[in-house]
Amino acid sequence: QVQLVESGGGLVQAGGSLRLSCAASGRTLSSYAMGWFRQAPGKEREFVAAMRYSGSNTDYADSVKGRFTISRDNVKSTVYLQMNSLKPEDTAVYYCAAKWATYYNNYDPWHTYDYWGQGTQVTVSS
């Protein structure tokens, strides 16, 4: 079983930046693709960004493209989401997720991921 723990959320003003971290334990992530999703109150969970953990392929939702960057640190088994130029509509609980990289496809929806973190709150004030 893969255990994921998100951190780095908080309160930030519009235009500011936050860096989310997703630390993995329990298994190596060399065979997993990693994704970031978010869910705002009253809305469905939506795709934000993803990458093949053992590769260089990355995908971004149109709403965050050019502002968010997904990356990884293999030594620390940690995936990051750098969020710049934050907007109030970015306010949501952000979740880290993992799935077998063998089945990874561009912009996979949330229900195709197997493991999830507890989520971290990101609030962007105007």
Side-chain angles (χ1 to χ4, degrees):
Q1 183 176 347
V2 175
Q3 295 185 341
L4 306 173
V5 180
E6 303 97 333
S7 62
L11 176 65
V12 65
Q13 291 186 336
S17 299
L18 284 174
R19 189 193 194 198
L20 305 184
S21 299
C22 175
S25 63
R27 281 182 172 179
T28 176
L29 292 184
S30 61
S31 298
Y32 289 88
M34 304 297 298
W36 285 98
F37 295 81
R38 66 187 183 186
Q39 187 166 21
K43 300 183 67 176
E44 294 187 355
R45 189 167 300 183
E46 65 176 352
F47 171 83
V48 176
M51 71 182 303
R52 190 181 300 273
Y53 194 79
S54 60
S56 59
N57 179 261
T58 58
D59 302 307
Y60 298 94
D62 289 340
S63 60
V64 306
K65 193 172 298 181
R67 299 188 297 122
F68 291 10
T69 302
I70 186 171
S71 61
R72 68 175 182 268
D73 185 328
N74 292 328
V75 175
K76 295 183 177 181
S77 295
T78 301
V79 178
Y80 304 96
L81 184 68
Q82 178 66 45
M83 305 185 294
N84 298 326
S85 301
L86 283 163
K87 305 174 181 179
E89 50 262 44
D90 294 319
T91 296
V93 176
Y94 283 71
Y95 297 92
C96 178
K99 67 183 296 183
W100 287 107
T102 301
Y103 305 116
Y104 175 80
N105 294 287
N106 293 347
Y107 308 102
D108 279 344
W110 66 269
H111 56 80
T112 68
Y113 284 75
D114 303 299
Y115 305 100
W116 292 84
Q118 83 288 350
T120 184
Q121 177 70 46
V122 172
T123 302
V124 184
S125 63
S126 59

